[in-house]
Structures are given as C-alpha cells and as structure tokens.
Amino acid sequence: MSVRAVAIDLDSVLGDTRRLWMAFLEHASRRFHSIAPLQPDALPNDRSLAAEQLDVWATAGVGDWRRQLHRFAEDHAPVYLRPDAGAMAALRALHETGVRIGVYTDAPQELATVCLAQLGASRRIAELCAGADARARLLTALGPGASVAASRAQLDALLPR
C-alpha cells in the first residue's frame, strides 16, 4: 500500500500531553485563585471544550491564559514528555519516502506546538491541527486518501516494507 499522507494522533502515537495539560491547569488554579477561581476537575475532558471555558474564565481578569500555557509547557515539557525512538524512526521513514505527515490533537495549539518540539517531531510535520474538530480539519487539509494513525500499531503498519 502506497501512503501519500498520514494524520497522526499526537497523544496516542507520539506522546501523551494530558499530564502536562493537567499540571498547567493545577498551576493556573493556584496562580490565579485570587483573581478568578478555577476548578480543573470541573472542566470537560475534551480539551477544545475546556479551552472555550478557559477563554471565558480569563475574562474575569486573568488575561491571556494561552500565553501562560505556552510558557508553562516550554518550562515543563521535558518533565512530562520523552521522545520515543520507535515513533521518531517511523516518522523519519515516512518523511523520507515523501509522505505528507500531519498531526492532530484536541489540545490547544500552544501546548501542541511545544510538545511536538520537545518530542523532536516538528521538522517532519507538514500540518498541525489542534483544538476543536482537529482530526476532521487535518484530513481535509491532507486531502482525499489520507491514512489515519490513531495508535502506534497503525503508524507502524503504514511504514514502507
């Protein structure tokens, strides 16, 4: 099977960013408690929906929480994410054969960008779609016939033989 483009689930295949996300929420709830209380456990599991709620929360005087997320992720990503040699080898192999690689996640763009850099995957990624409907948007951007890798096994199955 000749693969021309692949959409890869960031969290299931390359590195799970959810612990870093939760650490940020805990940090934000402590840091901004006197301005606008935040209960991380009350936010939706879908991070695109949680981000919408955080946008509203921030209007109470918190300011640009997304910039805070970016800074927090830059500072803490090395603690939560380690590049996986097998996943990086698969990305390299696909990239070298001309496969257009895209990554999707429900996490905010600010988190996803930092995490891809931490994992060493940024330079091989042609498209990153983050937030609401990221998978659908990425598949549209990659065009008809794009494969999806929602697990390491699915990614490995796409490798040239």
Side-chain angles (χ1 to χ4, degrees):
M1 167 170 80
S2 177
V3 178
R4 300 172 111 196
V6 62
I8 299 172
D9 183 322
L10 171 60
D11 297 290
S12 297
V13 179
L14 302 178
D16 189 351
T17 65
R18 291 191 181 278
R19 289 185 331 131
L20 180 56
W21 169 251
M22 290 306 298
F24 167 72
L25 294 177
E26 292 296 330
H27 165 78
S29 71
R30 286 189 307 274
R31 180 171 183 194
F32 298 111
H33 178 73
S34 63
I35 299 169
L38 174 67
Q39 294 179 317
D41 294 339
L43 293 170
N45 286 333
D46 180 320
R47 292 179 287 181
S48 65
L49 297 175
E52 290 175 8
Q53 290 185 14
L54 290 172
D55 288 337
V56 173
W57 167 75
T59 63
V62 170
D64 189 355
W65 71 268
R66 291 176 185 270
R67 186 175 48 182
Q68 295 294 327
L69 171 61
H70 189 269
R71 286 183 190 152
F72 184 88
E74 285 181 325
D75 290 344
H76 295 88
V79 175
Y80 291 93
L81 296 167
R82 298 275 187 266
D84 178 278
M88 294 307 108
L91 284 183
R92 187 171 42 256
L94 289 169
H95 187 259
E96 288 172 357
T97 59
V99 174
R100 190 160 176 228
I101 301 170
V103 172
Y104 66 92
T105 180
D106 68 335
Q109 182 84 26
E110 297 81 1
L111 180 67
T113 302
V114 171
C115 290
L116 281 176
Q118 172 62 32
L119 294 167
S122 294
R123 69 176 182 253
R124 291 190 172 80
I125 304 303
E127 298 276 341
L128 169 63
C129 286
D133 302 316
R135 179 176 165 160
R137 288 186 290 114
L138 179 59
L139 288 172
T140 298
L142 293 176
S147 299
V148 175
S151 70
R152 270 298 300 284
Q154 289 175 343
L155 179 65
D156 292 343
L158 297 172
L159 294 174
R161 306 273 174 218

